[in-house]
Amino acid sequence: MTARTTTGNESWDAFWAEVSGARTETIRGIEVQVPRDIPFGFEERVGELSTSSAREDIAELITALFGPDVFDAWADAGMGYYELLTVLTWGMAQASGTDMSFAEAYQAVKELDSEGKAQSPPNRAARRAQSKPTGGPSKPTSRASTASTRKRSAG
């Protein structure tokens, strides 16, 4: 069976925009495309970065969902950390096919924060403490592999 198209010679981009209902949203004065699909490897990357509040890690996730330069434009527009988490939550829901409102995304961020699962940005002392070694001794992997053998005297 042959697939039927409306124009006959449409491009993939035009077809996908029609099928996925491409739309835009203005967030902090920046018009962005509403995410329509989760990029490959995105969910794993979110898991890997879930405890990070480093600017470049958040920028990586925002870029994957909303495109290049969006993170910097939002930062320049004065967007704060919890706003970014809210927009990221909203964008992830949209990309996975859930039509979540901004209010619902904000509520989800607040709930995660109250459960201690949303990480607030660490202050200077906390960042320094994270980079310091604990100073504790390491444990041997196996006594058999690290023990020395006794040599018998020839006497």
Side-chain angles (χ1 to χ4, degrees):
M1 180 174 210
T2 306
R4 194 177 272 170
T5 62
T6 55
T7 62
N9 293 324
E10 69 184 20
S11 69
W12 170 258
D13 292 340
F15 163 75
W16 194 248
E18 182 179 326
V19 168
S20 63
R23 68 183 211 264
T24 61
E25 188 68 51
T26 301
I27 301 172
R28 275 289 182 152
I30 311 302
E31 188 173 350
V32 295
Q33 282 224 313
V34 175
R36 313 185 289 265
D37 204 355
I38 299 280
F40 283 116
F42 183 81
E43 290 173 330
E44 290 83 14
R45 197 67 182 133
V46 168
E48 293 168 3
L49 301 177
S50 65
T51 59
S52 175
S53 58
R55 180 182 175 96
E56 56 273 358
D57 292 339
I58 296 169
E60 177 185 339
L61 297 176
I62 295 293
T63 298
L65 276 182
F66 296 101
D69 304 323
V70 172
F71 176 81
D72 290 331
W74 283 343
D76 291 345
M79 184 177 278
Y81 183 76
Y82 287 100
E83 278 183 276
L84 274 171
L85 286 181
T86 301
V87 171
L88 186 59
T89 301
W90 174 84
M92 289 169 54
Q94 298 298 319
S96 65
T98 303
D99 192 20
M100 176 183 276
S101 71
F102 291 119
E104 291 168 324
Y106 179 68
Q107 187 62 39
V109 169
K110 282 179 43 179
E111 287 172 12
L112 283 175
D113 191 39
S114 69
E115 294 172 9
K117 293 179 182 175
Q119 299 289 322
S120 60
N123 63 23
R124 187 178 199 181
R127 286 192 308 268
R128 286 185 178 163
Q130 287 175 348
S131 65
K132 289 184 181 177
T134 60
S138 61
K139 295 179 181 178
T141 56
S142 165
R143 297 215 185 270
S145 67
T146 59
S148 59
T149 57
R150 221 179 217 189
K151 295 186 181 186
R152 295 184 183 214
S153 62

